[in-house]
Amino acid sequence: MLFDAFKNRKSPKIEFIKTNPSWRVAWGTVDANYEDIAWRDEKISVILPRTTSEFPTEKLAISFGGRFVVVGDIWLTNRLQLLQKLGIEPDSFQGSSLQLVANLWERWGNESLSQLVGMFALVVWDREKQVLRLVRDRIGVRTLYYTTTSSVRWIAPQLRTLAPHRSSDLDLLALRDYLCCAFVPGERTLWEQVRELRPGTVLEFPDHKVTAYWQLQEQIVAIDQPLAWHGDRLRELLEQVVQEYLPPADEPVGVFLSGGLDSSSITALVAKFHKAPVHTFSIHFGSECPNELEFSSLVACHCQTQHHILEITFKDMWSRLPETMAYLDDPIGDPLTVPNLLLGRLARESVEVVLNGEGGDPCFGGPKNQPMLINSLYGSVTNQDALQAYLISFQKCAVDLPQLLKPEVWTAVQTAPWVFAEDLYSQASYLNRLMAMNIKFKGADQILTKVSNLTQAALLQGRSPLFDQRIVELSMEIPPKYKLSGVEEKAVLKQAIADILPDTIIHRPKSGMMVPVQLGFRKYQGDTWSRYGVKLWLLASLEIWLQVNQKAQ
């Protein structure tokens, strides 16, 4: 059994790792002497931890008429347009984006959500109707968690902040899903008494009603137009989004650059539009591991960036794993978590804002969709239904569940529904079904959560232009044949940026980042366990995440 691999293994040192607490909202009655209450009335209390001697007032705003109290995290790309809608001169408005949202809510209520473009996790208290609303952005760039039991419901953007208000009971379905996917998809978390608000939805208290204000849907347009036409549409939008994601013109900006098509495209667009220094950051894992430095260095030279390269050893990854897990809301078994944190800290020495190429595969047809496309053609031969094939395509522990879980646990979860079923069996084209699941689940629950958690841990602002809601919507308008057709991947993205990157980058096969978990475990344990490297890392990440979170309680 896989867990046997840990019997003789030296574990990394587990210590209590202090992370900065986030804001919290309590729905219900709490003691008036509760620490750090910044605002309260009969039904809710807003807790804002002190940074020094002052409360971070940008986390709390009250609408101009006093009816709405808004708490949360927000970053908007259309702030100027929203001020114009309110008839406010931009130069005369000194309030935060949260204050702007509070004023919008006073004017248009829930309809305000259709006007917000950006990333946000908000709690909105209607003092007149005594209704509390939890709101999350469309793609899930920001997170929002809430407890599900007791007379007081607690809400926070970080799962760890809710530790004092939940039990230590595990959600067994979430555990099953993590073992299969290396992340927890959907509304569940590893803790039985905590749920995560889904992207594009609003949850209302006291009715506990969930409504979707946005849904990802296939809406293919201009199917008869050539690839160049769709490439031009994508290029125009990419240029707009990247410019909106840049910091002020006189500030340096960073890009995480792997040398692949996605991060190289973002680097080229950033270099085109930003006049202050552009810094690029790449990693490798030593001389024994394949790397993409040849390509990342080529792009950096082509775009004339200030390029930084970080070498990370397996020893670094293993020793930093507890700290990294402490910063993650739910456990993520991707071996790139530790490298992401370390690269972020390197970037913070030069910049405060860093962009990345995350989102290219989910939106434009990366190669990881190919096994599922093959299964759709030959599933009757392999005897796998679509759901089985999808779970196995993660290449994690789907086939190992009967051995990993206790018999009574396996019996309890074996036939429980999966969150992927609705999208997998929808009426959309097959490729777009796969992409929708990648965006809604792997995007929101693994990639974007990881980016948000670990860039914030490095004191960076991390931004993912290819996961912008407008890019995502456009991707669902592009005919599937221009995304992934046979072995040709991301044809429309290649077309969109063909004139700003070398052909060597555009047309090279995707190799991916080779993280040395197989090599690392072989050196520690011998050849017996080398082929289980990815699975061992997933299990170790889970165990350590549980340990650091138990110490946080």
Side-chain angles (χ1 to χ4, degrees), residues 62-337:
I62 300 175
S63 63
F64 58 81
R67 175 177 170 181
F68 293 98
V69 179
V70 182
V71 185
D73 300 308
I74 188 164
W75 180 79
L76 296 172
T77 64
N78 65 333
R79 178 183 165 97
L80 292 179
Q81 295 91 324
L82 294 175
L83 287 170
Q84 291 170 358
K85 284 181 178 290
L86 288 169
I88 299 174
E89 288 294 327
D91 292 340
S92 67
F93 184 77
Q94 303 300 317
S96 65
S97 293
L98 206 62
Q99 183 64 57
L100 178 57
V101 171
N103 293 348
L104 285 168
W105 216 282
E106 184 92 29
R107 181 79 60 88
W108 289 293
N110 275 18
E111 297 303 315
S112 303
L113 292 174
S114 64
Q115 303 175 43
L116 302 183
V117 181
M119 48 185 101
F120 48 86
L122 305 173
V123 177
V124 182
W125 172 232
D126 185 338
R127 302 172 72 184
E128 181 179 303
K129 294 188 175 180
Q130 298 284 285
V131 173
L132 189 71
R133 294 180 176 89
L134 281 58
V135 183
R136 190 176 176 194
D137 64 67
R138 294 163 180 80
I139 309 301
V141 185
R142 293 287 184 260
T143 52
L144 197 58
Y145 300 92
Y146 59 96
T147 59
T148 59
T149 59
S150 83
S151 59
V152 178
R153 301 298 178 88
W154 290 89
I155 304 143
Q158 294 177 3
L159 187 57
R160 207 178 199 213
T161 303
L162 297 179
H165 313 295
R166 58 155 176 83
S167 75
S168 59
D169 296 335
L170 294 182
D171 186 308
L172 296 181
L173 284 181
L175 176 63
R176 176 201 68 175
D177 295 356
Y178 170 83
L179 293 172
C180 289
C181 307
F183 64 93
V184 180
E187 68 171 359
R188 293 180 181 276
T189 73
L190 247 292
W191 304 118
E192 189 175 51
Q193 295 180 352
V194 182
R195 290 290 181 264
E196 179 182 16
L197 186 67
R198 298 309 298 151
T201 64
V202 179
L203 169 62
E204 292 187 1
F205 290 110
D207 295 337
H208 301 85
K209 182 176 70 173
V210 178
T211 55
Y213 69 89
W214 181 85
Q215 290 182 309
L216 180 63
Q217 295 180 330
E218 177 184 72
Q219 295 179 318
I220 299 172
V221 301
I223 195 168
D224 296 327
Q225 290 289 351
L227 175 63
W229 186 88
H230 290 280
D232 289 344
R233 284 186 80 211
L234 176 58
R235 173 62 172 271
E236 182 180 3
L237 184 56
L238 279 172
E239 291 192 350
Q240 177 188 343
V241 169
V242 167
Q243 288 181 80
E244 291 173 353
Y245 278 45
L246 293 172
D250 59 344
E251 296 180 10
V253 66
V255 185
F256 290 154
L257 174 61
S258 70
L261 178 67
D262 308 331
S263 62
S264 299
S265 300
I266 298 303
T267 299
L269 289 167
V270 168
K272 178 180 179 180
F273 292 112
H274 202 60
K275 302 310 176 189
V278 177
H279 296 258
T280 45
F281 304 91
S282 300
I283 57 176
H284 73 102
F285 299 101
S287 58
E288 295 183 82
C289 298
N291 63 64
E292 299 186 299
L293 293 183
E294 171 191 353
F295 302 107
S296 61
S297 297
L298 173 62
V299 173
C301 181
H302 178 78
C303 297
Q304 298 183 310
T305 70
Q306 298 182 29
H307 196 45
H308 311 257
I309 297 173
L310 178 65
E311 179 178 348
I312 300 172
T313 67
F314 185 77
K315 182 179 179 181
D316 296 330
M317 292 177 58
W318 189 248
S319 65
R320 294 289 187 176
L321 185 57
E323 179 185 11
T324 304
M325 289 299 108
Y327 290 122
L328 292 174
D329 287 320
D330 254 329
I332 294 176
D334 178 359
L336 276 171
T337 51

Side-chain angles (χ1 to χ4, degrees), residues 368-528:
K368 291 184 179 180
N369 292 295
Q370 289 174 346
M372 286 299 294
L373 294 173
I374 292 171
N375 181 77
S376 72
L377 296 174
Y378 302 109
S380 59
V381 177
T382 62
N383 232 6
Q384 285 183 348
D385 65 23
L387 183 57
Q388 282 179 305
Y390 185 69
L391 297 174
I392 291 172
S393 73
F394 283 99
Q395 297 183 336
K396 299 300 187 294
C397 298
V399 298
D400 305 302
L401 290 179
Q403 288 75 45
L404 287 173
L405 299 174
K406 294 179 179 180
E408 63 271 23
V409 175
W410 175 234
T411 300
V413 303
Q414 183 176 6
T415 59
W418 293 82
V419 295
F420 309 115
E422 181 179 351
D423 291 288
L424 188 57
Y425 298 117
S426 76
Q427 298 303 307
S429 65
Y430 194 68
L431 177 61
N432 278 344
R433 284 185 244 167
L434 300 178
M435 292 173 57
M437 289 189 292
N438 287 339
I439 292 167
K440 290 170 64 174
F441 299 110
K442 187 171 184 179
D445 300 319
Q446 178 187 358
I447 299 172
L448 289 171
T449 297
K450 179 182 67 173
V451 168
S452 178
N453 289 169
L454 298 181
T455 52
Q456 288 183 51
L459 304 180
L460 281 169
Q461 297 179 52
R463 298 174 185 172
S464 308
L466 295 178
F467 265 126
D468 183 274
Q469 65 188 63
R470 294 158 293 180
I471 299 290
V472 170
E473 289 171 339
L474 180 63
S475 77
M476 285 293 166
E477 297 177 359
I478 298 170
K481 64 182 179 180
Y482 294 143
K483 290 184 278 192
L484 180 62
S485 179
V487 296
E488 176 68 15
E489 62 187 64
K490 304 180 189 174
V492 69
L493 181 58
K494 293 175 180 178
Q495 174 71 29
I497 47 82
D499 63 321
I500 56 174
L501 281 175
D503 285 346
T504 308
I505 298 299
I506 294 174
H507 297 296
R508 79 178 184 89
K510 182 181 176 73
S511 59
M513 186 65 64
M514 303 299 292
V515 186
V517 289
Q518 310 278 30
L519 177 65
F521 279 111
R522 182 167 71 246
K523 284 187 172 182
Y524 274 77
Q525 283 292 125
D527 290 337
T528 305

